[in-house]
Amino acid sequence: MKKTFKHLFLYIFLTSIGYSSEVTNQVSASYYNYSGNYNYAYYDVSWFYSIIGDINKGSINLPDTEFSIFLSNSKSTYEGSLYTNNANLVLKTDLYANQKFSPFLIFQWTFDSTTALDYRINPGIGGKLRFGKGFSISYAGLWEIEKYTGYEENSFFRHSFRPKQKLHLMEGIKIEEQFFYKPTSDFESYLIENIFTIYIDTVIPGVSLSIQQNYNLNSNPPPGYKKEDTYISLGFSLQL
């Protein structure tokens, strides 16, 4: 089942690549190091790639379609030993990407050793509705396959509701906030993720500073783990 989902989404995404025109290619990174009474180091790196345009292949005509890929990895060491390690991969195809309503296909894979998550796989389908002034709301139905360390793999259906706000306060400063609410089909357990980011352009073309705060909540974590996690990172983004 997992291979079938992967092949389907990868085929759709790779088909999109050959027929797009506008390209966004952005790398972001942040690093923190402390030494003295204790030695702690943390880094985060991410890559976002997007191509948008018209797809015309045989009888298929999909105007204003966007393919995007987002990949990130964060690691930290404490006294020379690996302390945290997580990664996130998101593949997405938006049809009619800049219209008022756009349906989309999504595939996400993630793991997080801090919370004993070996992997979580989410193929899904949904739609995004724009209301103007940078505000949008999206919904996706996700089929989730997840495994925690020491537990059997589990699969089930999950909802995903996501309001998003983009604000341009002034020239060179942008604020973006996303709030994800992901309950299971019976709404008995849920995941919450809130991502708040400030981007500040520098005098160097294509380079901006970023301040990001992430808040994650798992209403039903594995025994011995807390429900909430929060972290703040300071880094830079480079437009390639």
Side-chain angles (χ1 to χ4, degrees):
M1 178 65 72
K2 287 187 288 186
K3 289 185 178 180
T4 301
F5 276 126
K6 289 180 181 179
H7 291 161
L8 172 63
F9 278 84
L10 286 175
Y11 172 78
I12 295 172
F13 295 143
L14 292 175
T15 300
S16 303
I17 291 177
Y19 298 92
S20 300
S21 54
E22 299 177 22
V23 177
T24 299
N25 193 11
Q26 181 174 296
V27 174
S28 302
S30 61
Y31 178 76
Y32 172 84
N33 184 276
Y34 183 93
S35 60
N37 290 305
Y38 63 90
N39 296 308
Y40 177 81
Y42 165 87
Y43 82 82
D44 177 273
V45 61
S46 65
W47 173 55
F48 176 74
Y49 183 81
S50 171
I51 44 184
I52 185 169
D54 298 339
I55 298 176
N56 296 291
K57 186 175 182 181
S59 60
I60 299 176
N61 181 19
L62 300 175
D64 197 19
T65 296
E66 180 181 20
F67 162 79
S68 64
I69 177 171
F70 174 77
L71 178 64
S72 67
N73 177 232
S74 299
K75 284 186 179 181
S76 68
T77 58
Y78 179 72
E79 297 296 346
S81 299
L82 186 65
Y83 187 61
T84 63
N85 184 23
N86 63 75
N88 188 27
L89 169 67
V90 180
L91 302 174
K92 191 177 180 184
T93 293
D94 277 280
L95 307 180
Y96 315 110
N98 293 310
Q99 307 304 314
K100 186 174 180 61
F101 176 75
S102 58
F104 61 81
L105 297 170
I106 189 169
F107 177 87
Q108 182 176 22
W109 168 87
T110 186
F111 80 87
D112 188 350
S113 62
T114 310
T115 59
L117 180 65
D118 291 340
Y119 56 81
R120 178 179 290 125
I121 301 170
N122 288 121
I125 185 170
K128 177 168 62 177
L129 186 63
R130 292 174 176 81
F131 294 91
K133 297 184 178 180
F135 181 71
S136 64
I137 294 178
S138 68
Y139 168 81
L142 307 172
W143 182 251
E144 182 157 307
I145 304 164
E146 70 173 15
K147 184 182 182 303
Y148 285 95
T149 304
Y151 293 86
E152 295 293 326
E153 181 183 277
N154 192 20
S155 60
F156 49 89
F157 181 83
R158 186 184 291 281
H159 304 279
S160 176
F161 303 92
R162 190 227 64 186
K164 180 179 180 179
Q165 178 70 62
K166 292 182 180 180
L167 295 174
H168 294 269
L169 297 182
M170 61 181 67
E171 185 68 26
I173 299 179
K174 181 178 72 174
I175 293 178
E176 180 177 298
E177 183 168 18
Q178 303 181 71
F179 182 88
F180 293 87
Y181 171 57
K182 298 180 178 180
T184 54
S185 58
D186 55 11
F187 287 83
E188 289 188 358
S189 65
Y190 55 88
L191 304 174
I192 286 178
E193 182 179 11
N194 188 64
I195 306 172
F196 180 80
T197 311
I198 300 175
Y199 300 96
I200 303 173
D201 291 342
T202 68
V203 294
I204 304 174
V207 177
S208 62
L209 299 177
S210 62
I211 304 171
Q212 184 176 103
Q213 176 176 302
N214 283 52
Y215 169 79
N216 298 315
L217 184 147
N218 185 346
S219 68
N220 188 28
Y225 289 85
K226 297 180 180 180
K227 292 184 177 182
E228 299 174 291
D229 289 286
T230 302
Y231 66 89
I232 298 175
S233 65
L234 173 65
F236 72 92
S237 297
L238 173 62
Q239 187 73 35
L240 301 177

